[in-house]
Amino acid sequence: MLIRTEIGIDAASIDALLRRSFPTSAEAELVQQLREDGLLTLGMVATDDEGQVLGYASFSPVTVNGEEQQWVGLASLAVDDSVRKQGLASRLIDEGLDTLNEFGYAAVVVLGDPAYYQRRGFEPAVRHQLRCRGHGTEETFLVYGLSDEAFNGVSGYIAYPSPFDRL
């Protein structure tokens, strides 16, 4: 299994993975729209020996109180059923975090299972007085600091790009 940054030729295979991994086409359409709008900061793929995408993690810009702070949101994350329970999602996340850190990004936010993401170093965003839209997101909205100063003087509302409004 090779984990690398996505390239243009991966788009169709990523789309197919997202369509078979989620109950609706919403995630696939979200990623497609983000790509078309130039809002994919980073996409990490896991491919088999034939180049078929079996895992995917994407990161797109978010704002803090309406301002760019070099923060991104993790969404979407998908792993093919044939390779689940092998740590592939964690590897995709870790590679993505390392790459974002190298590029100078400050923090990553995610809406997801607290138990899963906290094992990967994410912490509840409310600890830093951060929130996002949606009732009941207090427990599932998490943040990961990529730099020591990521949370200095930062609090308030995190907004995802407009294509997320359709979810």
Side-chain angles (χ1 to χ4, degrees):
M1 190 78 53
L2 173 67
I3 296 180
R4 61 172 171 76
T5 302
E6 77 171 273
I7 55 176
I9 199 167
D10 295 324
S13 192
I14 292 167
D15 187 74
L17 171 66
L18 293 172
R19 289 180 187 280
R20 69 180 177 266
S21 297
F22 293 94
T24 71
S25 63
E27 292 287 329
E29 292 168 8
L30 169 66
V31 169
Q32 181 178 345
Q33 189 63 56
L34 290 168
R35 187 178 289 117
E36 288 174 9
D37 293 349
L39 294 172
L40 275 181
T41 302
L42 177 67
M44 300 300 300
V45 294
T47 60
D48 63 15
D49 293 339
E50 288 80 40
Q52 184 71 22
V53 174
L54 297 177
Y56 181 65
S58 64
F59 301 85
S60 49
V62 296
T63 59
V64 182
N65 297 319
E67 296 180 15
E68 169 59 42
Q69 299 282 338
Q70 289 296 98
W71 286 38
V72 295
L74 166 58
S76 297
L77 176 64
V79 173
D80 190 79
D81 284 340
S82 67
V83 291
R84 286 226 172 124
K85 306 289 187 205
Q86 297 178 23
L88 189 54
S90 294
R91 289 176 50 206
L92 285 163
I93 292 168
D94 290 345
E95 289 290 329
L97 294 174
D98 287 347
T99 301
L100 290 163
N101 187 40
E102 289 175 18
F103 289 149
Y105 285 88
V108 178
V109 297
V110 67
L111 274 165
D113 177 12
Y116 178 82
Y117 286 102
Q118 286 177 348
R119 287 193 306 267
R120 272 131 205 91
F122 286 78
E123 60 182 312
V126 296
R127 288 186 186 160
H128 301 283
Q129 293 76 47
L130 296 165
R131 59 184 168 67
C132 70
R133 73 177 171 99
H135 178 69
T137 60
E138 294 82 13
E139 291 180 16
T140 59
F141 188 52
L142 302 132
V143 65
Y144 183 96
L146 292 168
S147 72
D148 293 337
E149 301 84 31
F151 306 117
N152 290 351
V154 178
S155 63
Y157 182 76
I158 306 295
Y160 287 81
S162 62
F164 283 88
D165 295 341
R166 298 182 197 141
L167 292 180

PDB file of all heavy atoms in Angstrom, residues 109-138:
ATOM      1  N   VAL A 109      -9.061  20.992  12.106  1.00  0.00           N
ATOM      2  CA  VAL A 109     -10.303  20.717  12.817  1.00  0.00           C
ATOM      3  C   VAL A 109     -11.022  19.559  12.135  1.00  0.00           C
ATOM      4  O   VAL A 109     -10.805  19.293  10.954  1.00  0.00           O
ATOM      5  CB  VAL A 109     -11.228  21.957  12.884  1.00  0.00           C
ATOM      6  CG1 VAL A 109     -10.577  23.080  13.666  1.00  0.00           C
ATOM      7  CG2 VAL A 109     -11.631  22.425  11.499  1.00  0.00           C
ATOM      8  N   VAL A 110     -11.858  18.883  12.900  1.00  0.00           N
ATOM      9  CA  VAL A 110     -12.636  17.776  12.349  1.00  0.00           C
ATOM     10  C   VAL A 110     -13.924  17.628  13.146  1.00  0.00           C
ATOM     11  O   VAL A 110     -13.956  17.888  14.357  1.00  0.00           O
ATOM     12  CB  VAL A 110     -11.826  16.451  12.371  1.00  0.00           C
ATOM     13  CG1 VAL A 110     -11.573  15.970  13.790  1.00  0.00           C
ATOM     14  CG2 VAL A 110     -12.501  15.374  11.533  1.00  0.00           C
ATOM     15  N   LEU A 111     -14.976  17.241  12.461  1.00  0.00           N
ATOM     16  CA  LEU A 111     -16.221  16.820  13.095  1.00  0.00           C
ATOM     17  C   LEU A 111     -16.242  15.302  13.005  1.00  0.00           C
ATOM     18  O   LEU A 111     -16.265  14.752  11.891  1.00  0.00           O
ATOM     19  CB  LEU A 111     -17.436  17.393  12.365  1.00  0.00           C
ATOM     20  CG  LEU A 111     -17.862  18.786  12.777  1.00  0.00           C
ATOM     21  CD1 LEU A 111     -18.816  19.389  11.760  1.00  0.00           C
ATOM     22  CD2 LEU A 111     -18.491  18.771  14.153  1.00  0.00           C
ATOM     23  N   GLY A 112     -16.183  14.628  14.133  1.00  0.00           N
ATOM     24  CA  GLY A 112     -16.133  13.173  14.073  1.00  0.00           C
ATOM     25  C   GLY A 112     -16.204  12.528  15.442  1.00  0.00           C
ATOM     26  O   GLY A 112     -16.425  13.191  16.455  1.00  0.00           O
ATOM     27  N   ASP A 113     -15.982  11.229  15.458  1.00  0.00           N
ATOM     28  CA  ASP A 113     -16.050  10.419  16.665  1.00  0.00           C
ATOM     29  C   ASP A 113     -14.931  10.834  17.627  1.00  0.00           C
ATOM     30  O   ASP A 113     -13.748  10.646  17.325  1.00  0.00           O
ATOM     31  CB  ASP A 113     -15.902   8.954  16.278  1.00  0.00           C
ATOM     32  CG  ASP A 113     -15.874   8.010  17.470  1.00  0.00           C
ATOM     33  OD1 ASP A 113     -16.200   8.439  18.599  1.00  0.00           O
ATOM     34  OD2 ASP A 113     -15.524   6.831  17.272  1.00  0.00           O
ATOM     35  N   PRO A 114     -15.292  11.400  18.776  1.00  0.00           N
ATOM     36  CA  PRO A 114     -14.274  11.869  19.716  1.00  0.00           C
ATOM     37  C   PRO A 114     -13.298  10.767  20.146  1.00  0.00           C
ATOM     38  O   PRO A 114     -12.090  11.009  20.226  1.00  0.00           O
ATOM     39  CB  PRO A 114     -15.080  12.383  20.907  1.00  0.00           C
ATOM     40  CG  PRO A 114     -16.433  12.657  20.384  1.00  0.00           C
ATOM     41  CD  PRO A 114     -16.651  11.684  19.267  1.00  0.00           C
ATOM     42  N   ALA A 115     -13.786   9.576  20.420  1.00  0.00           N
ATOM     43  CA  ALA A 115     -12.900   8.500  20.874  1.00  0.00           C
ATOM     44  C   ALA A 115     -11.854   8.179  19.807  1.00  0.00           C
ATOM     45  O   ALA A 115     -10.671   8.004  20.117  1.00  0.00           O
ATOM     46  CB  ALA A 115     -13.712   7.253  21.219  1.00  0.00           C
ATOM     47  N   TYR A 116     -12.268   8.122  18.564  1.00  0.00           N
ATOM     48  CA  TYR A 116     -11.342   7.808  17.470  1.00  0.00           C
ATOM     49  C   TYR A 116     -10.297   8.906  17.301  1.00  0.00           C
ATOM     50  O   TYR A 116      -9.097   8.641  17.275  1.00  0.00           O
ATOM     51  CB  TYR A 116     -12.115   7.607  16.166  1.00  0.00           C
ATOM     52  CG  TYR A 116     -11.218   7.337  14.983  1.00  0.00           C
ATOM     53  CD1 TYR A 116     -10.721   6.060  14.752  1.00  0.00           C
ATOM     54  CD2 TYR A 116     -10.842   8.354  14.118  1.00  0.00           C
ATOM     55  CE1 TYR A 116      -9.877   5.804  13.682  1.00  0.00           C
ATOM     56  CE2 TYR A 116      -9.996   8.109  13.045  1.00  0.00           C
ATOM     57  CZ  TYR A 116      -9.523   6.840  12.836  1.00  0.00           C
ATOM     58  OH  TYR A 116      -8.680   6.598  11.786  1.00  0.00           O
ATOM     59  N   TYR A 117     -10.742  10.141  17.186  1.00  0.00           N
ATOM     60  CA  TYR A 117      -9.814  11.235  16.896  1.00  0.00           C
ATOM     61  C   TYR A 117      -8.943  11.622  18.092  1.00  0.00           C
ATOM     62  O   TYR A 117      -7.801  12.038  17.922  1.00  0.00           O
ATOM     63  CB  TYR A 117     -10.562  12.447  16.337  1.00  0.00           C
ATOM     64  CG  TYR A 117     -10.990  12.208  14.904  1.00  0.00           C
ATOM     65  CD1 TYR A 117     -12.293  11.879  14.591  1.00  0.00           C
ATOM     66  CD2 TYR A 117     -10.066  12.277  13.868  1.00  0.00           C
ATOM     67  CE1 TYR A 117     -12.669  11.638  13.276  1.00  0.00           C
ATOM     68  CE2 TYR A 117     -10.421  12.034  12.566  1.00  0.00           C
ATOM     69  CZ  TYR A 117     -11.733  11.713  12.272  1.00  0.00           C
ATOM     70  OH  TYR A 117     -12.098  11.461  10.969  1.00  0.00           O
ATOM     71  N   GLN A 118      -9.451  11.465  19.306  1.00  0.00           N
ATOM     72  CA  GLN A 118      -8.626  11.783  20.468  1.00  0.00           C
ATOM     73  C   GLN A 118      -7.453  10.809  20.592  1.00  0.00           C
ATOM     74  O   GLN A 118      -6.380  11.195  21.054  1.00  0.00           O
ATOM     75  CB  GLN A 118      -9.468  11.819  21.737  1.00  0.00           C
ATOM     76  CG  GLN A 118     -10.318  13.082  21.793  1.00  0.00           C
ATOM     77  CD  GLN A 118     -11.228  13.146  23.005  1.00  0.00           C
ATOM     78  OE1 GLN A 118     -11.418  12.177  23.730  1.00  0.00           O
ATOM     79  NE2 GLN A 118     -11.815  14.314  23.218  1.00  0.00           N
ATOM     80  N   ARG A 119      -7.624   9.580  20.138  1.00  0.00           N
ATOM     81  CA  ARG A 119      -6.499   8.629  20.124  1.00  0.00           C
ATOM     82  C   ARG A 119      -5.414   9.087  19.143  1.00  0.00           C
ATOM     83  O   ARG A 119      -4.278   8.639  19.230  1.00  0.00           O
ATOM     84  CB  ARG A 119      -6.978   7.223  19.748  1.00  0.00           C
ATOM     85  CG  ARG A 119      -7.767   6.531  20.841  1.00  0.00           C
ATOM     86  CD  ARG A 119      -7.955   5.049  20.568  1.00  0.00           C
ATOM     87  NE  ARG A 119      -8.529   4.736  19.274  1.00  0.00           N
ATOM     88  CZ  ARG A 119      -9.822   4.554  19.029  1.00  0.00           C
ATOM     89  NH1 ARG A 119     -10.709   4.671  20.011  1.00  0.00           N
ATOM     90  NH2 ARG A 119     -10.245   4.247  17.822  1.00  0.00           N
ATOM     91  N   ARG A 120      -5.754   9.946  18.230  1.00  0.00           N
ATOM     92  CA  ARG A 120      -4.810  10.460  17.238  1.00  0.00           C
ATOM     93  C   ARG A 120      -4.281  11.841  17.601  1.00  0.00           C
ATOM     94  O   ARG A 120      -3.635  12.504  16.799  1.00  0.00           O
ATOM     95  CB  ARG A 120      -5.479  10.503  15.866  1.00  0.00           C
ATOM     96  CG  ARG A 120      -5.322   9.214  15.146  1.00  0.00           C
ATOM     97  CD  ARG A 120      -6.619   8.667  14.576  1.00  0.00           C
ATOM     98  NE  ARG A 120      -6.507   7.212  14.431  1.00  0.00           N
ATOM     99  CZ  ARG A 120      -6.858   6.339  15.357  1.00  0.00           C
ATOM    100  NH1 ARG A 120      -7.336   6.730  16.500  1.00  0.00           N
ATOM    101  NH2 ARG A 120      -6.725   5.051  15.159  1.00  0.00           N
ATOM    102  N   GLY A 121      -4.573  12.305  18.816  1.00  0.00           N
ATOM    103  CA  GLY A 121      -4.021  13.566  19.288  1.00  0.00           C
ATOM    104  C   GLY A 121      -4.937  14.769  19.169  1.00  0.00           C
ATOM    105  O   GLY A 121      -4.574  15.864  19.592  1.00  0.00           O
ATOM    106  N   PHE A 122      -6.124  14.595  18.605  1.00  0.00           N
ATOM    107  CA  PHE A 122      -7.085  15.687  18.553  1.00  0.00           C
ATOM    108  C   PHE A 122      -7.677  15.893  19.941  1.00  0.00           C
ATOM    109  O   PHE A 122      -7.720  14.967  20.751  1.00  0.00           O
ATOM    110  CB  PHE A 122      -8.214  15.370  17.558  1.00  0.00           C
ATOM    111  CG  PHE A 122      -7.819  15.477  16.118  1.00  0.00           C
ATOM    112  CD1 PHE A 122      -7.093  14.474  15.490  1.00  0.00           C
ATOM    113  CD2 PHE A 122      -8.186  16.588  15.368  1.00  0.00           C
ATOM    114  CE1 PHE A 122      -6.728  14.567  14.155  1.00  0.00           C
ATOM    115  CE2 PHE A 122      -7.823  16.693  14.033  1.00  0.00           C
ATOM    116  CZ  PHE A 122      -7.093  15.685  13.425  1.00  0.00           C
ATOM    117  N   GLU A 123      -8.128  17.095  20.211  1.00  0.00           N
ATOM    118  CA  GLU A 123      -8.753  17.390  21.493  1.00  0.00           C
ATOM    119  C   GLU A 123     -10.033  18.189  21.255  1.00  0.00           C
ATOM    120  O   GLU A 123     -10.202  18.813  20.207  1.00  0.00           O
ATOM    121  CB  GLU A 123      -7.788  18.150  22.397  1.00  0.00           C
ATOM    122  CG  GLU A 123      -7.324  19.470  21.830  1.00  0.00           C
ATOM    123  CD  GLU A 123      -6.328  20.160  22.731  1.00  0.00           C
ATOM    124  OE1 GLU A 123      -6.570  20.261  23.952  1.00  0.00           O
ATOM    125  OE2 GLU A 123      -5.312  20.629  22.205  1.00  0.00           O
ATOM    126  N   PRO A 124     -10.943  18.170  22.232  1.00  0.00           N
ATOM    127  CA  PRO A 124     -12.183  18.921  22.055  1.00  0.00           C
ATOM    128  C   PRO A 124     -11.904  20.400  21.791  1.00  0.00           C
ATOM    129  O   PRO A 124     -11.120  21.040  22.502  1.00  0.00           O
ATOM    130  CB  PRO A 124     -12.915  18.727  23.388  1.00  0.00           C
ATOM    131  CG  PRO A 124     -12.360  17.439  23.932  1.00  0.00           C
ATOM    132  CD  PRO A 124     -10.923  17.426  23.493  1.00  0.00           C
ATOM    133  N   ALA A 125     -12.535  20.941  20.773  1.00  0.00           N
ATOM    134  CA  ALA A 125     -12.327  22.337  20.403  1.00  0.00           C
ATOM    135  C   ALA A 125     -12.816  23.294  21.486  1.00  0.00           C
ATOM    136  O   ALA A 125     -12.280  24.394  21.624  1.00  0.00           O
ATOM    137  CB  ALA A 125     -13.021  22.633  19.074  1.00  0.00           C
ATOM    138  N   VAL A 126     -13.806  22.869  22.269  1.00  0.00           N
ATOM    139  CA  VAL A 126     -14.339  23.745  23.314  1.00  0.00           C
ATOM    140  C   VAL A 126     -13.277  24.105  24.353  1.00  0.00           C
ATOM    141  O   VAL A 126     -13.386  25.138  25.001  1.00  0.00           O
ATOM    142  CB  VAL A 126     -15.589  23.150  24.006  1.00  0.00           C
ATOM    143  CG1 VAL A 126     -16.740  23.012  23.036  1.00  0.00           C
ATOM    144  CG2 VAL A 126     -15.290  21.829  24.675  1.00  0.00           C
ATOM    145  N   ARG A 127     -12.242  23.293  24.487  1.00  0.00           N
ATOM    146  CA  ARG A 127     -11.141  23.613  25.416  1.00  0.00           C
ATOM    147  C   ARG A 127     -10.444  24.914  25.017  1.00  0.00           C
ATOM    148  O   ARG A 127      -9.793  25.542  25.838  1.00  0.00           O
ATOM    149  CB  ARG A 127     -10.109  22.490  25.445  1.00  0.00           C
ATOM    150  CG  ARG A 127     -10.559  21.261  26.140  1.00  0.00           C
ATOM    151  CD  ARG A 127      -9.447  20.253  26.247  1.00  0.00           C
ATOM    152  NE  ARG A 127      -9.953  19.008  26.808  1.00  0.00           N
ATOM    153  CZ  ARG A 127      -9.353  17.849  26.678  1.00  0.00           C
ATOM    154  NH1 ARG A 127      -8.200  17.762  26.033  1.00  0.00           N
ATOM    155  NH2 ARG A 127      -9.881  16.773  27.206  1.00  0.00           N
ATOM    156  N   HIS A 128     -10.566  25.266  23.760  1.00  0.00           N
ATOM    157  CA  HIS A 128      -9.940  26.486  23.245  1.00  0.00           C
ATOM    158  C   HIS A 128     -10.985  27.530  22.861  1.00  0.00           C
ATOM    159  O   HIS A 128     -10.699  28.442  22.095  1.00  0.00           O
ATOM    160  CB  HIS A 128      -9.054  26.150  22.044  1.00  0.00           C
ATOM    161  CG  HIS A 128      -7.974  25.181  22.376  1.00  0.00           C
ATOM    162  ND1 HIS A 128      -6.828  25.549  23.049  1.00  0.00           N
ATOM    163  CD2 HIS A 128      -7.883  23.845  22.172  1.00  0.00           C
ATOM    164  CE1 HIS A 128      -6.078  24.480  23.225  1.00  0.00           C
ATOM    165  NE2 HIS A 128      -6.686  23.440  22.708  1.00  0.00           N
ATOM    166  N   GLN A 129     -12.201  27.372  23.386  1.00  0.00           N
ATOM    167  CA  GLN A 129     -13.316  28.274  23.104  1.00  0.00           C
ATOM    168  C   GLN A 129     -13.571  28.386  21.600  1.00  0.00           C
ATOM    169  O   GLN A 129     -13.831  29.469  21.067  1.00  0.00           O
ATOM    170  CB  GLN A 129     -13.096  29.670  23.715  1.00  0.00           C
ATOM    171  CG  GLN A 129     -13.113  29.706  25.236  1.00  0.00           C
ATOM    172  CD  GLN A 129     -11.823  29.172  25.840  1.00  0.00           C
ATOM    173  OE1 GLN A 129     -10.739  29.540  25.422  1.00  0.00           O
ATOM    174  NE2 GLN A 129     -11.944  28.290  26.810  1.00  0.00           N
ATOM    175  N   LEU A 130     -13.519  27.238  20.916  1.00  0.00           N
ATOM    176  CA  LEU A 130     -13.784  27.169  19.479  1.00  0.00           C
ATOM    177  C   LEU A 130     -15.075  26.406  19.247  1.00  0.00           C
ATOM    178  O   LEU A 130     -15.355  25.422  19.927  1.00  0.00           O
ATOM    179  CB  LEU A 130     -12.632  26.472  18.759  1.00  0.00           C
ATOM    180  CG  LEU A 130     -11.290  27.187  18.808  1.00  0.00           C
ATOM    181  CD1 LEU A 130     -10.160  26.255  18.393  1.00  0.00           C
ATOM    182  CD2 LEU A 130     -11.320  28.425  17.921  1.00  0.00           C
ATOM    183  N   ARG A 131     -15.839  26.857  18.254  1.00  0.00           N
ATOM    184  CA  ARG A 131     -17.094  26.190  17.925  1.00  0.00           C
ATOM    185  C   ARG A 131     -17.316  26.276  16.420  1.00  0.00           C
ATOM    186  O   ARG A 131     -16.663  27.045  15.724  1.00  0.00           O
ATOM    187  CB  ARG A 131     -18.259  26.817  18.687  1.00  0.00           C
ATOM    188  CG  ARG A 131     -18.441  28.288  18.396  1.00  0.00           C
ATOM    189  CD  ARG A 131     -19.542  28.918  19.243  1.00  0.00           C
ATOM    190  NE  ARG A 131     -19.537  30.346  19.176  1.00  0.00           N
ATOM    191  CZ  ARG A 131     -19.809  31.100  18.124  1.00  0.00           C
ATOM    192  NH1 ARG A 131     -20.121  30.532  16.989  1.00  0.00           N
ATOM    193  NH2 ARG A 131     -19.779  32.408  18.163  1.00  0.00           N
ATOM    194  N   CYS A 132     -18.259  25.475  15.959  1.00  0.00           N
ATOM    195  CA  CYS A 132     -18.649  25.527  14.552  1.00  0.00           C
ATOM    196  C   CYS A 132     -20.166  25.423  14.481  1.00  0.00           C
ATOM    197  O   CYS A 132     -20.828  25.225  15.492  1.00  0.00           O
ATOM    198  CB  CYS A 132     -17.975  24.409  13.748  1.00  0.00           C
ATOM    199  SG  CYS A 132     -18.582  22.759  14.123  1.00  0.00           S
ATOM    200  N   ARG A 133     -20.695  25.545  13.263  1.00  0.00           N
ATOM    201  CA  ARG A 133     -22.150  25.510  13.109  1.00  0.00           C
ATOM    202  C   ARG A 133     -22.685  24.126  13.432  1.00  0.00           C
ATOM    203  O   ARG A 133     -21.975  23.140  13.358  1.00  0.00           O
ATOM    204  CB  ARG A 133     -22.562  25.924  11.709  1.00  0.00           C
ATOM    205  CG  ARG A 133     -22.274  24.878  10.658  1.00  0.00           C
ATOM    206  CD  ARG A 133     -22.786  25.331   9.298  1.00  0.00           C
ATOM    207  NE  ARG A 133     -22.310  24.421   8.278  1.00  0.00           N
ATOM    208  CZ  ARG A 133     -23.030  23.437   7.777  1.00  0.00           C
ATOM    209  NH1 ARG A 133     -24.257  23.235   8.185  1.00  0.00           N
ATOM    210  NH2 ARG A 133     -22.518  22.647   6.860  1.00  0.00           N
ATOM    211  N   GLY A 134     -23.923  24.083  13.776  1.00  0.00           N
ATOM    212  CA  GLY A 134     -24.577  22.812  14.031  1.00  0.00           C
ATOM    213  C   GLY A 134     -24.822  22.559  15.498  1.00  0.00           C
ATOM    214  O   GLY A 134     -23.910  22.617  16.308  1.00  0.00           O
ATOM    215  N   HIS A 135     -26.071  22.292  15.823  1.00  0.00           N
ATOM    216  CA  HIS A 135     -26.449  21.956  17.190  1.00  0.00           C
ATOM    217  C   HIS A 135     -25.866  20.597  17.548  1.00  0.00           C
ATOM    218  O   HIS A 135     -25.894  19.663  16.770  1.00  0.00           O
ATOM    219  CB  HIS A 135     -27.975  21.928  17.319  1.00  0.00           C
ATOM    220  CG  HIS A 135     -28.434  21.553  18.677  1.00  0.00           C
ATOM    221  ND1 HIS A 135     -28.267  22.388  19.768  1.00  0.00           N
ATOM    222  CD2 HIS A 135     -29.023  20.437  19.141  1.00  0.00           C
ATOM    223  CE1 HIS A 135     -28.757  21.789  20.836  1.00  0.00           C
ATOM    224  NE2 HIS A 135     -29.224  20.611  20.480  1.00  0.00           N
ATOM    225  N   GLY A 136     -25.307  20.481  18.721  1.00  0.00           N
ATOM    226  CA  GLY A 136     -24.780  19.217  19.199  1.00  0.00           C
ATOM    227  C   GLY A 136     -23.377  18.894  18.737  1.00  0.00           C
ATOM    228  O   GLY A 136     -22.913  17.767  18.896  1.00  0.00           O
ATOM    229  N   THR A 137     -22.675  19.869  18.178  1.00  0.00           N
ATOM    230  CA  THR A 137     -21.317  19.601  17.697  1.00  0.00           C
ATOM    231  C   THR A 137     -20.264  19.781  18.791  1.00  0.00           C
ATOM    232  O   THR A 137     -19.097  19.497  18.554  1.00  0.00           O
ATOM    233  CB  THR A 137     -20.954  20.511  16.508  1.00  0.00           C
ATOM    234  OG1 THR A 137     -21.041  21.877  16.921  1.00  0.00           O
ATOM    235  CG2 THR A 137     -21.851  20.252  15.316  1.00  0.00           C
ATOM    236  N   GLU A 138     -20.662  20.211  19.968  1.00  0.00           N
ATOM    237  CA  GLU A 138     -19.697  20.477  21.028  1.00  0.00           C
ATOM    238  C   GLU A 138     -18.823  19.259  21.323  1.00  0.00           C
ATOM    239  O   GLU A 138     -17.623  19.386  21.546  1.00  0.00           O
ATOM    240  CB  GLU A 138     -20.401  20.936  22.316  1.00  0.00           C
ATOM    241  CG  GLU A 138     -21.097  22.267  22.204  1.00  0.00           C
ATOM    242  CD  GLU A 138     -22.490  22.162  21.574  1.00  0.00           C
ATOM    243  OE1 GLU A 138     -23.023  21.034  21.435  1.00  0.00           O
ATOM    244  OE2 GLU A 138     -23.046  23.211  21.212  1.00  0.00           O
TER     245      GLU A 138
END
